Amino acid sequence: MADSNSRVIVITSGKGGVGKTTTTANIGVALSHHLGEKVALIDADIGLRNLDLALGLENRIVYDIVDVVEGRAKLRQALIKSKSNQNLALLPAAQTRDKSAVSPSQMIQIIQELQEEGYTYILIDCPAGIEQGFRNATAGATEAIVVTNPEMSSVRDADRIIGLLEAQELHSPYLIVNRLRPKMVKQQEMLAVEDVQDVLGSNVRLLGVIPEDEVIITSTNRGEPAALLEGNLAGQAYRNIARRLKGETVPFLNLDEKTGFFDRIKSIFGGKR
Amino acid sequence: MVCREILYTELRYCVTTFMGGVEILQQVEITPWHNGLLNELLLTVPVEGTWEEVLSRVEANMQENKSSFTGRSPQITLHLGTRSVGVEDLDGLVRQIQTKYALLTVAVVSTDLTTQEAARRLALNVYMMQPGSALVFATSEAEAGNNALYLPQTIRSGQKIVHAGTVIVGGDVNAGAEVVAEGDILVFGTLRGLAHAGSHGDEKARIMAGNMRPQQLRIANTFAGAPPDAPPAKVRLTEVARIENGKITVAPY
């Protein structure tokens, strides 16, 4: 890539509905809002636009990625800056076209332009599946985050995706286990994080574990990513992920404490694990 | 695609050399070979040079050999060696050969992960070894041992390894992955996917795994599903599967 100072990370999963878009929005917010990075988010899910909703930017879209590719708009015109945070910008997907409207080489070109604009983190929200959309989303990326839920079908798809990423020279991807229910793990009704890691192998690097939380749904609906909510465990997990992504060593949240919800919150504020 | 798939399961490749990157191919070559059922062509592409150079050399060579492409839509296998070819590039070459010379590309020979994945996406068969010109089978155990294919990595969901000899996997074989070998299959890690040993009818073939957790085992023409009462996955089961009295039995190693 042209500018070695910026990181281009694709967020992918293979299976749909595991939380790629929510994860992209939350990491983007945490990196820009809490850590002061200049972040560009690319919604590569052309035809099934979602990332704008998760960020609450759906009313402000004028141009999209296909307009940029086809020359109807400049990249700068299509980028939507977050109201609350000038460090965060979104390049929305087109809703009326499909994946073939953009090619991998055009994607690489867009990423290079964003790097020239000085964005330090470029996060690409990959569509579900392993077809053209996946190829587009991974084309310009130099790192990958694989999101999975602790259930077999999701882990198998993640495994498939890791194989495809390796074939594209994207080795040792990061792993996020999303929607974990500690109680169910304890009762052996859900895969534990260790089980997921066991299947996917030692060369995937665990970046974080997000507990199942209804707040995620309400905050996504409202367009305010949970990472903005102080005192929310899932939001805390996303903020920790952003810090780990920057290279900090942050201990993993203890999700399976016997204590009640309020005690857990207190312990987070107290700095204890 | 379906008939192509069926056809190829019937084929046997002779085992001459294992090309693990040691063989360096200089020229674009087109050679006829008999795949066991019918005559085919084999296009060998050199490992050196840019992809553009390859395309132009293929073009030149094709023009030269045009007259020998006889028969009704002859089939061709591309031998790409250790070269890394992306799906767009490979698709381009396949189309070029199809539209200009009416040759149907059916398979790719490659040891490169990227190339193999690209070929799979284009619904082509993937082979790791160069197909031979005549059918030669191992006559002794010593010879058969030389045909072993060692894969140091984990075989992941969606990846399929087909090999004419024994396959040794240094990592795991995950659920959704397939390993098909004419000889034995040895998995040092956990076998979770599908393993088919003795794929051309060798009932003496065995499947060994450091942790035997398969979805299904196949040896020669026999198959067996996973038992419903397997102990929890954390208990490591080093086991061997073989055919006894016409059934696949799994026993501790």
Side-chain angles (χ1 to χ4, degrees), chain A residues 98-141:
Chain A
D98 66 23
K99 309 291 187 266
S100 60
V102 176
S103 74
S105 57
Q106 289 166 328
M107 201 71 184
I108 291 169
Q109 211 175 338
I110 286 174
I111 289 165
Q112 277 172 349
E113 272 185 61
L114 286 170
Q115 288 174 321
E116 283 157 19
E117 294 275 325
Y119 287 95
T120 51
Y121 279 82
I122 297 162
L123 306 181
I124 304 157
D125 184 18
C126 178
I130 54 174
E131 292 82 22
Q132 168 111 27
F134 173 78
R135 258 177 279 158
N136 283 344
T138 52

Side-chain angles (χ1 to χ4, degrees), chain A residues 26-190:
Chain A
N26 275 289
I27 297 179
V29 163
L31 279 170
S32 58
H33 193 272
H34 296 89
L35 302 172
E37 296 288 344
K38 201 174 174 207
V39 182
L41 307 179
I42 303 177
D43 189 349
D45 202 349
I46 297 162
L48 296 165
R49 178 164 80 199
N50 277 156
L51 188 54
D52 53 329
L53 285 171
L55 293 161
L57 299 173
E58 70 273 20
N59 297 335
R60 296 172 50 204
I61 297 176
V62 181
Y63 297 110
D64 56 48
I65 188 166
V66 175
D67 291 319
V68 175
V69 161
E70 293 179 354
R72 284 188 295 275
K74 290 211 173 71
L75 180 62
R76 243 185 243 191
Q77 293 174 299
L79 280 173
I80 307 167
K81 291 257 168 79
S82 164
K83 267 174 284 185
S84 54
N85 181 359
Q86 287 298 302
N87 276 335
L88 182 65
L90 167 72
L91 180 59
Q95 181 69 355
T96 52
R97 301 290 292 273
D98 66 23
K99 309 291 187 266
S100 60
V102 176
S103 74
S105 57
Q106 289 166 328
M107 201 71 184
I108 291 169
Q109 211 175 338
I110 286 174
I111 289 165
Q112 277 172 349
E113 272 185 61
L114 286 170
Q115 288 174 321
E116 283 157 19
E117 294 275 325
Y119 287 95
T120 51
Y121 279 82
I122 297 162
L123 306 181
I124 304 157
D125 184 18
C126 178
I130 54 174
E131 292 82 22
Q132 168 111 27
F134 173 78
R135 258 177 279 158
N136 283 344
T138 52
T142 52
E143 292 171 273
I145 296 175
V146 176
V147 183
T148 186
N149 292 353
E151 42 115 16
M152 280 319 297
S153 60
S154 167
V155 171
R156 184 185 295 183
D157 289 1
D159 189 48
R160 174 88 167 108
I161 284 295
I162 293 166
L164 292 172
L165 291 170
E166 279 168 355
Q168 295 192 20
E169 303 294 317
L170 284 164
H171 297 285
S172 302
Y174 291 108
L175 176 71
I176 292 178
V177 181
N178 195 14
R179 294 181 141 178
L180 188 89
R181 296 191 190 189
K183 225 178 172 181
M184 286 182 76
V185 173
K186 224 176 227 173
Q187 291 162 354
Q188 300 199 324
E189 286 164 352
M190 185 180 254

Side-chain angles (χ1 to χ4, degrees), chain B residues 201-246:
Chain B
D202 182 3
E203 298 195 339
K204 290 203 179 83
R206 296 180 298 173
I207 301 169
M208 289 175 250
N211 193 6
M212 188 71 92
R213 302 284 175 185
Q215 294 169 309
Q216 200 186 81
L217 291 175
R218 297 182 192 166
I219 299 175
N221 299 318
T222 314
F223 72 94
D229 54 345
K234 273 164 193 152
V235 186
R236 213 176 148 81
L237 298 173
T238 304
E239 290 181 317
V240 192
R242 55 162 73 81
I243 294 184
E244 268 170 30
N245 305 323

Side-chain angles (χ1 to χ4, degrees), chain B residues 135-147:
Chain B
L135 291 172
V136 179
F137 294 101
T139 50
S140 71
E141 263 185 57
E143 263 179 64
N146 291 336
N147 298 330

Side-chain angles (χ1 to χ4, degrees), chain B residues 113-137:
Chain B
L113 256 179
T114 308
T115 310
Q116 289 175 6
E117 196 52 52
R120 269 185 219 113
R121 284 181 170 218
L122 299 174
L124 303 174
N125 278 286
V126 178
Y127 298 100
M128 295 207 158
M129 293 190 317
Q130 181 169 1
S133 52
L135 291 172
V136 179
F137 294 101

Side-chain angles (χ1 to χ4, degrees), chain B residues 104-115:
Chain B
L104 180 68
T105 306
V106 289
V108 162
V109 182
S110 169
T111 52
D112 183 83
L113 256 179
T114 308
T115 310

